């Protein structure tokens, strides 16, 4: 069984990079995820159905299509990519930051849906009561709504993280499969399956992927339950 833990430096780099990319993708998605979820749950405006469709489009489109659209938009010659590279020095294509962007886009619908459902479950009378006491809407959201939706927020964040850990199609299309730069766990597993004698390495990384994803999901469930019990007590 020691061979399961006997990872090569490149395999360790793939594990570390995957965790790094998934964490950055999750954290960067949280602010816009909360905002979009709030708009979809509470907003009444023209184009709401269109916005909902755009948010969930990555779940329907083939991941390769999403990656190609990201390449067209954020590549060095794309409108957003050229602007960011020239004026801010930010490059996404064929960089680990691009992998984080692709993973964030793919996990965004799962995050938004979980947060939206939590917002829709909040009793509006509680918020209204705080408003009658003179609290402004931003303060009501920060002190009343946000704590109430915390279990959904945690669940959405962990789902986004787990999705990012397993993302392959959009990532490899947008940033390729470059060792020590963009080669995440799924890309490394794919590489091992394409070379003779790579079965052991593929199996090691597969088991690590399963363990990391299961730990994340179990942690999400435990945290959500603890937060829910604490809120019930209060």
């Amino acid at each position: 069984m020691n061979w399961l833990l006997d990872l090569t430096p490149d395999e360790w780099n793939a594990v570390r990079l995957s965790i790094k990319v998934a964490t950055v993708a999750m954290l960067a998605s949280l602010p816009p995820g909360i905002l979009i979820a709030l708009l979809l749950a509470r907003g009444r405006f023209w184009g709401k159905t269109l916005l909902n469709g755009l948010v969930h489009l990555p779940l329907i489109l083939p991941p390769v299509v999403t990656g190609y659209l990201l390449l067209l938009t954020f590549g060095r010659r794309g409108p957003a990519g050229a602007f960011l590279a020239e004026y801010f020095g930010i490059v996404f294509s064929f960089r680990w930051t691009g992998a984080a962007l692709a993973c964030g886009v793919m996990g965004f619908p799962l995050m938004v849906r979980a947060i939206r459902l939590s917002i829709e479950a909040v009793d509006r009378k509680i918020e209204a009561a705080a408003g009658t006491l003179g609290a402004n809407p931003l303060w009501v959201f920060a002190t009343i709504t946000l704590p109430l939706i915390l279990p959904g927020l945690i669940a959405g964040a962990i789902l986004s993280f787990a999705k990012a850990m397993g993302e392959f199609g959009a990532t490899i299309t947008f940033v390729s499969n470059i060792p020590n730069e963009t080669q995440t766990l799924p890309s490394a597993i794919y590489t091992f399956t394409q070379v003779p004698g790579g079965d052991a390495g593929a199996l090691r990384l597969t088991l690590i992927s399963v363990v990391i994803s299961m730990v994340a999901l179990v942690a999400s469930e435990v945290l959500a339950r603890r937060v829910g019990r604490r809120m019930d007590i209060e």
Side-chain angles (χ1 to χ4, degrees):
M1 293 296 292
N2 290 334
W3 64 273
L4 288 174
L5 300 176
D6 189 19
L7 301 182
T8 66
D10 285 342
E11 291 171 3
W12 276 116
N13 286 334
V15 173
R16 286 192 292 264
L17 182 62
S18 293
I19 295 174
K20 177 182 178 181
V21 165
T23 301
V24 170
M26 177 190 68
L27 294 178
S29 298
L30 269 176
I34 295 173
L35 177 61
I36 296 298
L38 186 62
L39 286 174
L40 293 177
R42 301 280 179 83
R44 294 183 178 179
F45 55 90
W46 182 90
K48 180 178 177 180
T49 302
L50 178 61
L51 176 61
N52 184 61
L54 289 174
V55 168
H56 291 87
L57 196 59
L59 290 179
I60 308 300
L61 287 175
V64 173
V65 174
T66 302
Y68 183 63
L69 291 175
L70 288 173
L71 184 61
L72 291 178
T73 306
F74 292 96
R76 287 184 176 273
R77 297 182 180 179
F83 175 80
L84 291 172
E86 181 176 355
Y87 293 99
F88 299 99
I90 300 175
V91 178
F92 287 108
S93 57
F94 308 108
R95 302 283 181 86
W96 75 267
T97 50
L101 175 62
C103 290
V105 169
M106 295 301 294
F108 194 69
L110 299 176
M111 174 183 288
V112 170
R113 182 164 181 79
I115 299 174
R116 177 185 179 179
L117 292 175
S118 293
I119 293 175
E120 291 175 343
V122 172
D123 189 350
R124 300 294 295 274
K125 295 179 181 179
I126 300 175
E127 298 172 318
T132 60
L133 297 176
N136 61 61
L138 184 60
W139 182 254
V140 171
F141 179 79
T143 59
I144 304 296
T145 310
L146 196 58
L148 290 175
I149 68 171
L150 197 55
L153 196 95
I154 294 172
I158 298 300
L159 283 174
S160 174
F161 177 87
K163 175 64 176 176
M165 286 293 300
E167 176 51 39
F168 174 71
T171 303
I172 199 169
T173 304
F174 183 34
V175 297
S176 190
N177 182 14
I178 306 172
N180 302 325
E181 180 64 38
T182 65
Q183 190 178 72
T184 56
L185 277 172
S187 300
I189 293 170
Y190 173 77
T191 299
F192 274 121
T193 62
Q194 302 303 304
V195 298
D199 293 345
L203 180 58
R204 283 196 297 268
L205 295 184
T206 297
L207 293 176
I208 290 174
S209 298
V210 171
V211 170
I212 293 175
S213 297
M214 283 302 300
V215 168
L217 293 174
V218 171
S220 169
E221 185 69 18
V222 171
L223 286 174
R225 286 184 179 181
R226 287 186 177 180
V227 170
R229 289 174 182 173
R230 187 172 300 176
M231 289 170 57
D232 292 338
I233 294 175
E234 295 177 353

